[in-house]
Amino acid sequence: MARLTIRQIEEKLNSIDIQDDPFILSIQNDDRKGVQQLLNKWHSRQLLQKKAYEKHIEMIQYENKYRSQGFRFIAGIDEVGRGPLAGPVVAAAVILPESFFLPGLDDSKKISEQKRNEFYEEIQAKAVAISIGIIEPEEIDRINIYEATKKAMLSAIEGLNPKPDFLLVDAVKLVTPYPLDAIIKGDGKSISIAAASIIAKVTRDRMMAEIATTCPQYGFGQNMGYGTKEHLEAIKIHGITPHHRKSFAPVKDYVTENK
């Protein structure tokens, strides 16, 4: 019987996800370089999928723990934007269905912009509920960034529908009507917090890109308001905008010097 072409083998491999599939065993001794390259790629893909599944199992431990105690609507809460010199702090609250599975989902800081945007759409499509809390720079200056962070989180929680019955929060201890677990580095340990991390990050990045269209000299679309060299130089040349946090150095120093 004629051997399959390399193209035919590639098509067949794309439909196989079992290590000991007879077809995998049958081509292991094929002496064609192209076949062995395809086989190596298939094994690499399988390894990545295995690691993604293992990470998923690790990331649902908190959700499983509290579901086993009778909680149904478990919300993950996270924020982005504590450190920038400009722009809002944004928090997200996300309730995921128990069956939710998104291979590769992790702390948003560990994921590329392209992948974050893909995950954002997946989460939006599949979540039970999503809510956003936003605190603008003027209020951050008035109440301080830590209080603003908590207020953004509480606003996000308040906007959830259905209401949560348990909260998984990234590090911050909140006073709420709901029981909660504040998890250190929770965006890398809980799938719900990781989902909230993605929603908050993409939401804020898009807001900063929009702000950048009105004051492009600051590079907000690239630096997201953080104190990069380009951003600091722009402040020296052009001054500050209503989007800057006047209580944050060196913006604070600029305000003092130019009173």
Side-chain angles (χ1 to χ4, degrees):
M1 185 174 69
R3 290 196 298 183
L4 295 176
T5 66
I6 290 177
R7 179 61 182 271
Q8 288 172 326
I9 289 173
E10 181 178 21
E11 290 176 353
K12 194 162 181 62
L13 284 174
N14 287 336
S15 66
I16 295 173
D17 57 8
I18 301 173
Q19 290 282 350
D20 57 356
D21 186 280
F23 182 74
I24 299 297
L25 301 176
S26 73
I27 63 172
Q28 284 181 349
N29 295 322
D30 192 309
D31 57 4
R32 286 173 290 179
K33 184 177 179 181
V35 173
Q36 292 307 310
Q37 287 176 337
L38 286 176
L39 196 54
N40 288 337
K41 286 182 181 178
W42 183 87
H43 282 299
S44 296
R45 195 161 61 242
Q46 291 298 112
L47 181 60
L48 287 175
Q49 290 175 354
K50 181 174 182 287
K51 287 182 177 179
Y53 182 72
E54 288 172 350
K55 179 64 175 177
H56 171 75
I57 295 301
E58 177 187 325
M59 294 275 280
I60 61 173
Q61 289 186 39
Y62 285 96
E63 285 77 4
N64 286 345
K65 173 183 175 181
Y66 292 110
R67 282 196 180 100
S68 72
Q69 295 176 20
F71 296 104
R72 182 181 177 195
F73 294 122
I74 299 171
I77 297 94
D78 199 9
E79 55 71 34
V80 295
R82 284 204 216 187
L85 306 180
V89 60
V90 176
V94 178
I95 300 174
L96 297 174
E98 186 173 354
S99 61
F100 186 83
F101 177 52
L102 184 54
L105 181 59
D106 203 341
D107 172 5
S108 64
K109 297 184 290 297
K110 299 178 182 177
I111 299 173
S112 69
E113 180 181 3
Q114 178 182 343
K115 188 60 71 173
R116 282 198 303 267
N117 284 319
E118 291 175 10
F119 284 176
Y120 176 91
E121 298 302 331
E122 285 279 331
I123 296 163
Q124 288 281 355
K126 296 177 180 177
V128 173
I130 295 174
S131 179
I132 302 292
I134 298 170
I135 303 297
E136 298 290 352
E138 183 180 358
E139 189 166 5
I140 292 171
D141 290 335
R142 188 169 69 250
I143 66 176
N144 77 50
I145 186 60
Y146 182 63
E147 292 301 322
T149 297
K150 291 195 293 184
K151 188 170 182 178
M153 287 180 161
L154 291 170
S155 176
I157 294 164
E158 179 62 26
L160 285 170
N161 183 23
K163 297 300 181 186
D165 53 16
F166 196 90
L167 309 178
L168 296 173
V169 188
D170 187 31
V172 180
K173 292 184 178 180
L174 301 172
V175 178
T176 80
Y178 312 106
L180 64 82
D181 191 348
I183 306 167
I184 304 299
K185 297 184 178 179
D187 45 9
K189 298 176 181 177
S190 157
I191 196 170
S192 301
I193 299 177
S197 172
I198 294 289
I199 296 294
K201 172 67 173 166
V202 173
T203 298
R204 188 179 187 279
D205 283 358
R206 291 178 180 179
M207 291 177 71
M208 294 307 296
E210 181 65 26
I211 291 170
T213 64
T214 65
C215 42
Q217 60 269 42
Y218 297 89
F220 289 153
Q222 292 74 47
N223 60 47
M224 304 306 165
Y226 284 88
T228 62
K229 181 179 179 181
E230 172 194 34
H231 186 180
L232 297 178
E233 285 297 320
I235 291 174
K236 290 179 182 177
I237 297 169
H238 303 288
I240 61 172
T241 72
H243 307 290
H244 280 95
R245 302 173 182 179
K246 295 178 182 178
S247 58
F248 280 43
V251 178
K252 183 178 181 180
D253 301 331
Y254 176 88
V255 172
T256 301
E257 290 169 4
N258 289 273
K259 278 186 176 179

